[in-house]
Amino acid sequence: MVEALLVAVATAGSAGVVYLASAVRVIKQYERGVLFRLGRVSGDIRTPGLNLIVPFVDRLQKVNMQIVTMPVPAQEGITRDNVTVRVDAVVYFRVVDAASALVKVEDYKFAVSQMAQTSLRSIIGKSDLDDLLSDREKLNQGLELMIDSPAVGWGIQVDRVEIKDVSLPDTMKRSMARQAEADRERRARIINADAELQASKKLAEAAQQMAETPTALQLRLLQTVMAVAAEKNSTLVLPIPVELLHFLERGARPSPPDQDRGPAPGHTDGGPAQYTDSGSRHTDGTPQLPVTGTGGPPQVPGTGGPPRVP
């Protein structure tokens, strides 16, 4: 009798332990529990810690409330300016309503992934290539808004969406490289021309200053000689005075023509003598004859005879 009682107590205790083990559920800090009683959501969301359920009647399903990092596969599309690109992204989201995430959508992670892919394709078609390469922050905000709008009804909150990489065709890369190189060459030429302009202005001011003070040019020449001598090279510098250069320049100029030229000698055949026109003429246009002697009137030739040569 006592043995039977002990066996019954042991059996009841074992059954109680099994029941208690099946009724106890532990929810972690980053999780929330949704209780389904006979297939229906019952009670509030279970908080982290030790929770008891009715075995074979209740079913507790846990939902991770941490931020999920989901990579979006690379999507190929054509931009608004007809350039084929491949763009991949990453989505950061978390569950804010555990019951809605389990009841309103079958697999919320798969749903968010598909929504991100379709939104990414839509963003590619609405954007230019320059926007994809330089204005990503604006595209990220637009992509986040497109994904977050339907996800709110599923109890999902999209925290951030980032475009990771934009893959371009090789021909487009070469074209962009040539464009960048041409732009850098243009800027280099503009900077060089600006430097030449400023240098020419400064040189003109220096030349004007040295022209007013010739000694400054001599001092500059001595400084140049000192700079060349400090290099310890075999170059021989012979400074030439500036006054010598001015003298050579004046000597190279052509002399002015003579104003008064004598008459040409006569012909040997006894003809009339030839006179050179010295530029003096009468009021009627005839040339003025030379004067013989000092202070006397000019010799007027006789009628029919040749003029007398002084």
Side-chain angles (χ1 to χ4, degrees):
M1 188 67 181
V2 177
E3 294 179 358
L5 182 61
L6 292 175
V7 171
V9 172
T11 305
S14 300
V17 171
V18 172
Y19 180 82
L20 184 62
S22 61
V24 173
R25 294 290 185 273
V26 177
I27 299 177
K28 299 179 181 180
Q29 182 66 36
Y30 56 85
E31 294 177 338
R32 297 295 183 270
V34 179
L35 182 64
F36 290 91
R37 178 165 294 172
L38 299 177
R40 300 181 61 182
V41 178
S42 175
D44 297 332
I45 302 298
R46 299 299 178 94
T47 57
L50 187 64
N51 291 269
L52 297 176
I53 63 173
V54 179
F56 310 108
V57 176
D58 296 342
R59 184 173 62 89
L60 184 66
Q61 190 165 352
K62 303 174 184 178
V63 179
N64 193 338
M65 306 296 289
Q66 292 177 315
I67 294 178
V68 181
T69 302
M70 176 179 293
V72 180
Q75 303 296 314
E76 185 173 355
I78 301 177
T79 60
R80 190 166 57 181
D81 49 355
N82 298 325
V83 179
T84 303
V85 296
R86 288 177 61 88
V87 182
D88 58 350
V90 59
V91 181
Y92 300 91
F93 68 93
R94 61 188 179 93
V95 178
V96 293
D97 189 353
S100 299
L102 293 176
V103 174
K104 294 186 178 181
V105 63
E106 181 180 2
D107 187 354
Y108 64 89
K109 292 185 179 180
F110 181 74
V112 172
S113 176
Q114 295 300 313
M115 181 58 65
Q117 294 180 30
T118 55
S119 301
L120 184 58
R121 284 179 175 270
S122 179
I123 284 292
I124 292 174
K126 294 179 180 178
S127 306
D128 295 331
L129 180 61
D130 294 338
D131 295 336
L132 288 175
L133 297 177
S134 60
D135 197 7
R136 292 190 180 182
E137 188 65 28
K138 182 179 178 181
L139 297 180
N140 292 337
Q141 294 177 0
L143 190 58
E144 178 183 348
L145 182 62
M146 295 178 65
I147 300 175
D148 189 60
S149 297
V152 171
W154 304 336
I156 308 296
Q157 179 181 352
V158 178
D159 289 339
R160 191 171 184 83
V161 181
E162 292 285 347
I163 295 177
K164 291 197 301 183
D165 188 22
V166 178
S167 300
L168 300 175
D170 294 336
T171 56
M172 181 57 65
K173 291 180 180 179
R174 289 192 294 267
S175 299
M176 293 177 65
R178 289 195 300 268
Q179 180 183 0
E181 184 178 358
D183 184 66
R184 287 193 297 268
E185 182 69 21
R186 177 183 63 85
R187 286 184 291 178
R189 291 184 178 182
I190 292 176
I191 293 174
N192 191 18
D194 191 14
E196 292 290 340
L197 177 60
Q198 295 179 7
S200 63
K201 290 181 179 179
K202 295 298 181 182
L203 288 175
E205 294 178 2
Q208 184 178 2
Q209 186 68 24
M210 289 182 179
E212 296 176 357
T213 309
T215 310
L217 185 59
Q218 299 292 337
L219 295 177
R220 187 69 184 93
L221 181 60
L222 292 176
Q223 291 178 357
T224 305
V225 173
M226 292 178 62
V228 173
E231 296 294 333
K232 297 181 180 180
N233 51 22
S234 60
T235 304
L236 181 61
V237 178
L238 296 177
I240 299 176
V242 181
E243 290 78 3
L244 180 59
L245 298 179
H246 289 311
F247 176 75
L248 295 177
E249 183 181 358
R250 288 195 300 268
R253 294 177 182 174
S255 59
D258 298 336
Q259 296 295 332
D260 297 331
R261 297 179 60 185
H267 293 281
T268 58
D269 55 357
Q274 298 287 336
Y275 292 92
T276 57
D277 188 4
S278 61
S280 301
R281 294 178 178 273
H282 294 284
T283 57
D284 57 355
T286 59
Q288 183 178 358
L289 296 177
V291 180
T292 58
T294 57
Q299 296 287 338
V300 180
T303 59
R308 296 178 60 185
V309 178

